[in-house]
Amino acid sequence: MNVDGGHYRTIWLKESDNRVVQIINQQVLPFKFEILDLCTLEDMRRAIKDMYVRGAGLIGAAAAYGIYLAALEAESFAFDRHLLKAAAVLKNTRPTASNLAWAVDRMLSKLLCNSSGAREKIELARIESQRIAESDAEACRHIGLYGLELIKKIAAEKTKGPVNILTHCNAGWLAFVDYGTALSPVYAAFDSGIAVHVWVDETRPRNQGASLTAWELGGHGVPHHLVADNAGGYMMQHGLVDLVITGADRVTRRGDLANKIGTYLKALAANENKVPFYAALPSSTFDFTMEDGLKEIPIEERDEAELRFVHGKGPGGACGTLQICPDHTPARNWGFDVTPARYIRGLITERGICAASEQGIRSLYPECFTAGKEIPGREQPEETPLPKEKLWQ
Ligand code: MRU
């Protein structure tokens, strides 16, 4: 997407040296736009673990590039062993989003059990990591096209005012390689001239809504307001929200959704107030091996410092960190929660919109249900016949 007139993705190979991965440093947004060079597996591990890159699709692509960087470091006599170790290191960084493990496994399936020499395997790793990044961006672009139809319908039913969409956390282009999931339909609607307005949940404790979603919507010119996390229920009671769209970190085969902490409360409020609640995700976010999200999805518990301190810009313009509770207050910081499928009106995917149910998901991804708990077809998105419309140049 555009940053000050230039086109950027969130992750790419450096033009002058394709042994280096470049990322937008999300730790310093919105106050500073900074590009970082990552040259080693350890660089990538830290970038994912410490959230220089974040968001389900982006950490998937980052992990794929992490395997490429590991391949560059591997001694040819212990190549596969090194990759297996790298895979374990990367999978350990962030547990909740399925995209990460999915991307690592896809890289391994191409690189292990392959009789080529080390040099060919490195090349294969480079090509495959780029394909993963490319297909993430393409999937998100198509999510935008399908979500656009939904927004068009709501716009047609409204007699006045813009379509008001509430979103939680950041599931925009910064959370993927490009376009985003929850925000991709918003950009598509805005670009095609539909009046849209976004309510941006601040998303405590890390404030990804305030710092990232607000930044990217502002950059694209989409009208929006930042709201307190707890305001959603009030706004829905007063008819201020037409549609909720969130991203997803993992969705089970039955349609249960793990997403940023607080999503469940938005879904409850939306159902109580008859506001349609949708989640948008590429197929790499499905976990077809899981059924019951509440029992099975691992929830990342993050450092209590994220709750005890806030980061921001002071009146003089200097950035800094402030403690917001007494010195020794202990805290618990769950990063995600699970919204049961029954609260979700639909899932917006790169293959279309389906019900959040086994039947609905099966109708779009039949190949993933053919062999019980196995996961055939998890690489299928590339083969998905996608509509050809082009919304963005
Ligand atoms: O902890 P983060 O910032 O990596 O959180 C993940 C997310 O961005 C959200 O949960 C999002 O809504 C879904 S994934 C883009």
Side-chain angles (χ1 to χ4, degrees):
M1 301 291 276
N2 290 329
V3 180
D4 292 335
H7 179 261
Y8 282 90
R9 284 188 164 183
T10 52
I11 193 163
W12 63 93
L13 289 182
K14 191 170 185 166
E15 214 174 305
S16 57
D17 180 0
N18 70 10
R19 299 163 67 91
V20 176
V21 179
Q22 295 193 296
I23 57 164
I24 296 174
N25 179 5
Q26 299 196 23
Q27 275 210 350
V28 294
L29 283 173
F31 307 117
K32 194 169 160 197
F33 184 73
E34 179 180 84
I35 298 200
L36 297 179
D37 283 1
L38 307 180
C39 306
T40 63
L41 168 66
E42 175 54 18
D43 288 348
M44 189 59 86
R45 184 197 69 78
R46 276 197 48 214
I48 300 173
K49 180 89 193 150
D50 296 340
M51 297 176 69
Y52 291 78
V53 287
R54 46 144 299 286
L58 177 54
I59 60 178
Y65 281 120
I67 294 288
Y68 167 55
L69 293 176
L72 288 167
E73 290 168 352
E75 304 279 1
S76 51
F77 66 89
F79 198 90
D80 286 3
R81 201 156 10 111
H82 184 72
L83 288 200
L84 281 167
K85 267 197 202 154
V89 164
L90 290 164
K91 281 187 181 180
N92 249 327
T93 51
R94 310 250 349 239
T96 303
S98 347
N99 310 57
L100 193 152
W102 170 85
V104 169
D105 288 343
R106 179 162 147 178
M107 290 294 288
L108 291 185
S109 74
K110 294 280 171 188
L111 297 171
L112 305 180
C113 313
N114 181 319
S115 54
S116 318
R119 200 181 292 177
E120 288 80 16
K121 282 192 178 184
I122 289 171
E123 185 55 7
L124 214 57
R126 186 186 64 75
I127 292 168
E128 194 57 20
S129 53
Q130 290 203 272
R131 285 178 69 192
I132 286 175
E134 196 52 49
S135 68
D136 180 83
E138 263 304 277
C140 287
R141 190 170 74 80
H142 287 91
I143 286 169
L145 295 174
Y146 287 114
L148 168 63
E149 295 309 312
L150 189 63
I151 296 176
K152 266 189 194 161
K153 238 185 181 162
I154 295 173
E157 284 159 10
K158 276 198 88 163
T159 48
K160 67 172 180 10
V163 178
N164 286 302
I165 300 159
L166 182 135
T167 192
H168 191 65
C169 195
N170 172 257
W173 71 271
L174 286 171
F176 290 82
V177 174
D178 210 347
Y179 304 104
T181 50
L183 295 189
S184 188
V186 171
Y187 292 129
F190 177 80
D191 289 351
S192 53
I194 298 172
V196 282
H197 167 263
V198 182
W199 298 114
V200 179
D201 276 355
E202 57 177 348
T203 319
R204 283 284 292 145
R206 274 187 89 97
N207 294 316
Q208 291 97 326
S211 58
L212 304 176
T213 301
W215 180 79
E216 53 163 284
L217 287 172
H220 203 82
V222 178
H224 62 282
H225 282 88
L226 183 63
V227 291
D229 279 345
N230 299 330
Y234 169 86
M235 292 191 298
M236 291 183 215
Q237 283 175 326
H238 292 272
L240 298 172
V241 182
D242 298 307
L243 170 69
V244 181
I245 313 182
T246 71
D249 291 279
R250 189 182 296 236
V251 173
T252 69
R253 59 195 280 141
R254 290 203 316 218
D256 294 341
L257 157 82
N259 195 53
K260 183 54 57 191
I261 193 83
T263 302
Y264 171 54
L265 289 177
K266 295 298 168 314
L268 288 180
N271 275 260
E272 163 74 11
N273 291 285
K274 314 231 171 343
V275 173
F277 178 101
Y278 283 82
L281 62 146
S283 55
S284 49
T285 301
F286 282 111
D287 185 336
F288 295 103
T289 68
M290 288 187 180
E291 290 183 348
D292 184 332
L294 267 180
K295 289 198 185 129
E296 295 178 76
I297 298 178
I299 297 296
E300 177 179 355
E301 190 167 348
R302 300 192 55 84
D303 195 321
E304 61 184 88
E306 285 184 351
L307 267 169
R308 302 181 68 248
F309 299 90
V310 288
H311 182 73
K313 186 157 82 171
C319 292
T321 299
L322 286 176
Q323 184 177 317
I324 57 163
C325 59
D327 284 353
H328 302 294
T329 302
R332 296 287 301 271
N333 182 14
W334 294 278
F336 301 87
D337 59 26
V338 173
T339 300
R342 63 181 177 277
Y343 296 120
I344 303 167
R345 179 75 62 87
L347 301 171
I348 310 170
T349 78
E350 80 273 29
R351 290 191 187 180
I353 302 181
C354 68
S357 65
E358 180 148 348
Q359 204 187 7
I361 298 168
R362 187 193 290 262
S363 70
L364 292 183
Y365 298 93
E367 75 281 11
C368 300
F369 287 81
T370 49
K373 288 210 156 212
E374 288 168 28
I375 29 177
R378 293 215 62 189
E379 288 152 59
Q380 203 64 15
E382 283 181 340
E383 274 79 58
T384 304
L386 296 169
K388 291 279 175 284
E389 302 91 304
K390 246 198 169 331
L391 272 178
W392 290 276
Q393 308 314 318

